[in-house]
């Protein structure tokens, strides 16, 4: 696995694991807030939106960690080109290179 000038896989894995932990903790707080709205000073819509976002992030991060385990991390899922290290540094769970990135909602 060669990543051009970017961070090493070990660094990225660590970043992903940190992010996974943060999102999981977030989800715990949000789940508690769901039964006690106001405990984090957010309205139910915001709590629901943040819960969806946190779950989505956890899915993406978990998938990225599996790709590291499988040895296919850092390659675009569409064109199979290596994803530039600079991009992975900003978005460690990136599945696609910039040209292949589907438009977000
Ligand atoms: Zn691509």
């Amino acid at each position: 696995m060669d990543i051009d000038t970017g961070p090493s896989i070990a660094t990225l894995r660590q970043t992903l694991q940190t992010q996974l932990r943060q999102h999981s903790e977030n989800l715990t707080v949000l789940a508690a807030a769901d039964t006690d709205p106001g405990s984090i000073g957010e309205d139910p819509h915001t709590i629901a939106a943040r819960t969806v976002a946190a779950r989505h992030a956890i899915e993406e991060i978990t998938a990225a960690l599996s790709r590291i385990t499988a040895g296919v991390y850092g390659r675009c899922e569409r064109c199979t080109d290596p994803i530039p290290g600079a991009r992975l540094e900003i978005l460690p769970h990136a599945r696609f290179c910039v040209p292949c990135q589907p438009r977000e909602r």
Side-chain angles (χ1 to χ4, degrees), residues 76-81 96-101:
C76 175
E77 287 188 1
R78 191 159 159 233
C79 70
T80 73
D81 275 356
F96 304 101
C97 64
V98 175
C100 295
Q101 177 66 46

Side-chain angles (χ1 to χ4, degrees), residues 14 20 24 37-38 71 82 85 89-90 94 102:
Q14 217 164 38
L20 188 60
S24 303
E89 195 165 15
I90 298 163

Side-chain angles (χ1 to χ4, degrees), residues 29-68:
V29 172
L30 290 165
D34 199 38
T35 53
D36 180 19
S39 67
I40 57 169
E42 304 260 33
D43 67 86
H45 279 297
T46 308
I47 292 170
R50 285 181 57 194
T51 302
V52 169
R55 287 215 181 102
H56 180 71
I58 288 170
E59 272 172 34
E60 290 295 315
I61 293 164
T62 306
L65 287 167
S66 322
R67 291 198 297 279
I68 291 177

